[in-house]
Amino acid sequence: DVKVTQSSRYLVKRTGEKVFLECVQDMDHENMFWYRQDPGLGLRLIYFSYDVKMKEKGDIPEGYSVSREKKERFSLILESASTNQTSMYLCASSSGGQGDKNEKLFFGSGTQLSVL
Amino acid sequence: KQEVTQIPAALSVPEGENLVLNCSFTDSAIYNLQWFRQDPGKGLTSLLLIQSSQREQTSGRLNASLDKSSGRSTLYIAASQPGDSATYLCAVLNTGNQFYFGTGTSLTVIP
């Protein structure tokens, strides 16, 4: 089974801090995604990547950046954390075959970030 | 842009009851539809995936159906148990290779 591992389950940071959220997948997946999930708003896509060193903005990229130096690792960076970035952050990966009807999303267990 | 809707937002049923969760989407140009379960404070766990050419998929007490032309999917849970209490989300993969999520149905099964 695919495993998507997020480095922290809970994180508490202060406003203005630089925050790194790490995500690693073990199935050689091409695609990796970062979402945030807030009550009443559902999942919102922050950034995604279809290949190493490649990144694309999602629906809400402001205040975030990403890094994908290796295929298995996709990092989300909050350059200067703010209280409105308090949220559940979810990493996901998929195999990436174009037009693959079996393409499935696999999620990590999430990181609950609190910015004080 | 694809819009995915799940109604109701919350559902409460007594243990043992069969139930149906609904998912609708606006654009039928999809590759597949996936149902997920999410427990409080946790990530999403994949339950079933239905390809666009399929009508249904079954796993244990779960059965998911897909009517692509009408933009609807249902997740049927037989003989519900308290352990089924969770939020259930559906997601479609459209032919532009993007995933779109519903906001979920929060299910409570009362012992």
Side-chain angles (χ1 to χ4, degrees), chain A residues 5 34 63-64 81:
Chain A
T5 304
W34 274 106
Y64 303 93

Side-chain angles (χ1 to χ4, degrees), chain A residues 9-10 31 33 35 37 40-43 45 48 50 59 88 90 94 96-105 107-110, chain B residues 1 30-32 34 36 38 40-46 48-53 89 91 93 95-99 101-103:
Chain A
R9 286 296 315 280
Y10 302 96
N31 300 344
F33 307 83
Y35 294 90
Q37 186 178 33
L41 295 177
L43 272 80
L45 182 62
F48 60 99
Y50 287 154
D59 299 320
M88 168 69 93
L90 292 163
S94 69
Q98 182 72 25
D100 178 5
K101 291 184 177 182
N102 253 338
E103 177 147 352
K104 206 172 180 181
L105 259 184
F107 280 85
S109 53
Chain B
K1 186 183 173 184
I30 65 169
Y31 285 133
N32 65 45
Q34 203 169 348
F36 294 90
Q38 185 177 30
K42 303 275 181 72
L44 280 68
T45 300
S46 181
L48 288 164
L49 180 145
I50 314 179
Q51 296 179 13
S52 59
S53 56
L89 294 95
L93 173 62
T95 54
N97 262 40
Q98 289 191 315
F99 293 94
F101 287 83
T103 50

Side-chain angles (χ1 to χ4, degrees), chain B residues 39-104:
Chain B
D39 293 292
K42 303 275 181 72
L44 280 68
T45 300
S46 181
L47 297 173
L48 288 164
L49 180 145
I50 314 179
Q51 296 179 13
S52 59
S53 56
Q54 296 175 327
R55 297 288 292 184
E56 62 178 56
Q57 282 286 331
T58 298
S59 176
R61 293 183 294 110
L62 305 179
N63 177 277
S65 69
L66 175 65
D67 184 343
K68 197 176 79 153
S69 60
S70 67
R72 290 181 185 171
S73 176
T74 61
L75 180 66
Y76 174 84
I77 302 177
S80 59
Q81 302 170 358
D84 295 330
S85 298
T87 297
Y88 292 81
L89 294 95
C90 64
V92 297
L93 173 62
N94 76 354
T95 54
N97 262 40
Q98 289 191 315
F99 293 94
Y100 292 89
F101 287 83
T103 50

